[in-house]
Amino acid sequence: MAKTSPASDQADKLRKIVRSLREKSGSIMDRAVQKSINRARLIAVTSGKGGVGKTSITVNLAIQLCRSGHRVVIIDGDLGLANVEVILGMVPRYSMYDLLNSKLDLSDVLIEGPAGIKFISGGTGIVELANLGRQEFDRILCSMAALDNYADFILVDTGAGISSGVTGFLLAAREVILVTTPEPTSITDAYAVLKVISQNNANCSVRLILNMVEGPREAEDVLGRLNTAAERFLGTGIKSLGYLVRDPAVGRATKMQTPFMVAFPNCAAARGIGRIAGRILDNTEYHMESEGVKDFLTRIYRSLITP
Ligand SMILES: Nc1ncnc2c1ncn2[C@@H]1O[C@H](COP(=O)(O)OP(=O)(O)O)[C@@H](O)[C@H]1O
Ligand SMILES: [Mg+2]
């Protein structure tokens, strides 16, 4: 009868330990890969003119998407006054600027908002990207890429118009929501934004939200006017995501520094947000791929360093 020596017992034990370690590290690797596979769907919310409701729409849409079971992060890219923090009534300690200029981590600058949304205050972070060397940019990219693990949706509230900070987002985005009111100057400025996107970012899907309209008829009318100009001069139409009526509850909620989806969840504007979120989630209507943060930021960087 063959007897196992203490030495071969020892070797057996070692082999078992190594095997189990390999299996464990394999599953850790699998999980890491799985995590990095998650890619957020990035949507830039923009407008030609300021004060048309971009920030209100971004914040409330984020809340609705969250309520439908999705994880949402807002990047506040608007350097104006009426920005995300004002609507949420929160004062963030850090902004993306700190991510670029100090050793802070993404989790330090990511703030928890109402109804489960998270947001990052942009500060002057985006414009700063242009001043970074390749190595620094790669460091930021690595920490920002972790956003894909926090979010199914990333909504970027851009500033209005076509300044350099805004176009960075618009030329990098694959999906843009363009907000306009029925006011003629707002429509003209929305058309100007559409023109910049269609001439410089052909792969981008732009959809319109008509805000502060009287009702569906006025929304149709504004959409029709923009479409006629876009088809004639840009050779492309524009689709609508829906409309929000002018609703006094929005102003009331703004004064309370509480999103209207929270303060007045049944108001007319909230119902409009519900319809719009439904369309965004309806991938049979429009198939949108989630491409993740990394590609998006890399394109922003490229557009900033090669104007
Ligand atoms: N559907 C709406 N009905 C009534 N007021 C609105 C509506 N949408 C936005 N507002 C108001 O318009 C103002 C500008 O909105 P805001 O979201 O800050 O615009 P932007 O981000 O485009 O500058 C705010 O006072 C807001 O309360
Ligand atoms: Mg705003």
Side-chain angles (χ1 to χ4, degrees):
M1 207 202 288
K3 262 193 180 172
T4 51
S5 67
S8 77
D9 269 359
Q10 202 84 3
D12 251 5
K13 262 188 200 157
L14 269 175
R15 263 194 293 274
K16 263 188 199 151
I17 290 171
V18 169
R19 203 180 307 135
S20 113
L21 273 177
R22 265 201 203 125
E23 277 162 11
K24 265 190 199 145
S25 71
S27 76
I28 288 169
M29 282 299 286
D30 282 351
R31 257 180 288 152
V33 170
Q34 202 121 44
K35 266 192 163 180
S36 66
I37 285 173
N38 185 54
R39 287 182 168 185
R41 184 170 151 191
L42 258 135
I43 307 177
V45 182
T46 198
S47 69
K49 196 170 169 281
V52 299
K54 273 184 310 299
T55 306
S56 315
I57 288 172
T58 307
V59 167
N60 288 284
L61 189 56
I63 290 174
Q64 181 60 21
L65 291 171
C66 246
R67 286 183 177 159
S68 320
H70 302 275
R71 298 166 307 159
V72 189
V73 170
I74 297 173
I75 297 181
D76 185 358
D78 191 353
L79 310 178
L81 281 178
N83 51 19
V84 177
E85 358 181 319
V86 176
I87 285 194
L88 293 177
M90 298 171 85
V91 184
R93 216 164 133 203
Y94 301 114
S95 72
M96 224 163 105
Y97 181 84
D98 299 294
L99 199 63
L100 303 183
N101 292 284
S102 67
K103 294 261 177 289
L104 287 184
D105 211 39
L106 184 65
S107 55
D108 300 315
V109 298
L110 207 57
I111 295 150
E112 187 96 26
I117 59 169
K118 292 197 167 62
F119 89 100
I120 300 178
S121 170
T124 50
I126 294 299
V127 184
E128 284 273 308
L129 278 179
N131 303 324
L132 295 180
R134 184 72 222 190
Q135 241 175 352
E136 277 173 302
F137 178 76
D138 283 345
R139 189 175 64 79
I140 298 302
L141 198 59
C142 276
S143 51
M144 288 294 283
L147 262 185
D148 277 335
N149 299 324
Y150 289 94
D152 302 310
F153 282 92
I154 297 174
L155 305 185
V156 185
D157 180 8
T158 76
I162 342 180
S163 66
S164 73
V166 178
T167 40
F169 288 123
L170 298 186
L171 302 189
R174 290 279 179 261
E175 197 174 348
V176 168
I177 292 177
L178 180 58
V179 182
T180 184
T181 70
E183 217 186 289
T185 49
S186 169
I187 302 175
T188 319
D189 291 354
Y191 173 80
V193 171
L194 187 62
K195 187 174 171 182
V196 168
I197 299 174
S198 76
Q199 290 175 345
N200 299 285
N201 186 0
N203 294 325
C204 181
S205 149
V206 187
R207 286 186 281 172
L208 205 63
I209 292 182
L210 297 313
N211 191 20
M212 303 194 223
V213 295
E214 280 164 20
R217 198 172 294 168
E218 190 176 32
E220 278 297 317
D221 177 48
V222 176
L223 177 67
R225 271 190 278 164
L226 252 171
N227 249 330
T228 307
E231 274 163 8
R232 186 179 306 164
F233 300 113
L234 308 176
T236 168
I238 179 164
K239 295 204 164 82
S240 162
L241 258 182
Y243 67 90
L244 301 188
V245 292
R246 181 181 283 282
D247 181 352
V250 179
R252 250 178 268 145
T254 306
K255 278 193 198 115
M256 291 160 66
Q257 293 198 297
T258 307
F260 60 77
M261 291 305 283
V262 174
F264 308 107
N266 298 315
C267 71
R271 291 199 299 275
I273 289 286
R275 288 190 300 267
I276 288 167
R279 266 179 222 130
I280 288 175
L281 292 171
D282 183 1
N283 269 335
T284 53
E285 202 175 335
Y286 299 99
H287 181 71
M288 288 298 165
E289 273 189 32
S290 307
E291 53 144 8
V293 179
K294 224 170 177 166
D295 293 354
F296 178 72
L297 280 178
T298 307
R299 281 199 304 277
I300 289 187
Y301 182 67
R302 280 203 203 112
S303 83
L304 287 171
I305 56 169
T306 48

